[in-house]
Amino acid sequence: MIKSIALPALLVVLLAFLGFQYYITSVPDLAGPVSVEDSRFIERDNSLLVTLRGSDGERFTVGLRGDIDNDPEETALFFIRNPDLVPYVYWPGLRSNDEKRVLELLEDVVQDQAQDGPVSRIYEVLKNRN
């Protein structure tokens, strides 16, 4: 009896873990209009961070780490899907589909708000990579 319950229970746990992993590593579809809640440059890590907030209150933090001015091609993109629920920093691969989704999200923000700050800086670095 226990063996017949163990396998389905294990499968359910694995599916739940996969769903959770997908949630924390995917780029959200923020409800518009998307506003810039916070932006900062951390000199110690040479990181540029921007926190976006959708009209539904969902937050998304995206950033670049590395020498943005002299070597933008080598900067690493990272993001945090939901820092209130899970403070997990995800580092997508260079020119990956996740990086392209972040680029599309930032493109919408830049076009809607005509930004000329950290959001547009991150957008330009990602755009020039593709």
Side-chain angles (χ1 to χ4, degrees):
M1 176 75 175
I2 296 218
K3 288 182 181 180
S4 64
I5 295 173
L7 183 59
L10 180 62
L11 289 174
V12 167
V13 169
L14 282 173
L15 287 174
F17 177 73
L18 285 174
F20 182 70
Q21 190 265 346
Y22 174 77
Y23 172 76
I24 63 173
T25 60
S26 64
V27 178
D29 186 22
L30 298 178
V34 177
S35 61
V36 177
E37 183 178 271
D38 184 30
S39 63
R40 62 185 175 267
F41 179 75
I42 302 172
E43 201 167 319
R44 181 187 76 221
D45 296 333
N46 207 18
S47 298
L48 179 61
L49 293 148
V50 174
T51 301
L52 305 172
R53 182 179 290 274
S55 63
D56 58 353
E58 185 175 6
R59 292 172 48 205
F60 181 66
T61 302
V62 62
L64 292 174
R65 184 175 187 181
D67 192 353
I68 298 169
D69 295 323
N70 299 321
D71 200 7
E73 204 49 40
E74 296 298 319
T75 58
L77 173 71
F78 62 92
F79 62 82
I80 304 170
R81 167 77 189 256
N82 191 337
D84 296 330
L85 178 64
V86 182
Y88 176 76
V89 178
Y90 179 62
W91 301 81
L94 190 67
R95 294 180 184 89
S96 66
N97 287 334
D98 289 327
E99 186 174 291
K100 291 174 186 170
R101 286 187 205 103
V102 170
L103 177 64
E104 291 169 2
L105 175 65
L106 294 178
E107 183 176 38
D108 292 341
V109 173
V110 168
Q111 288 177 351
D112 289 346
Q113 300 178 3
Q115 293 271 340
D116 189 34
V119 174
S120 63
R121 184 70 181 123
I122 294 172
Y123 170 73
E124 289 299 320
V125 169
L126 295 178
K127 182 180 173 189
N128 290 334
R129 279 189 197 174
N130 295 324

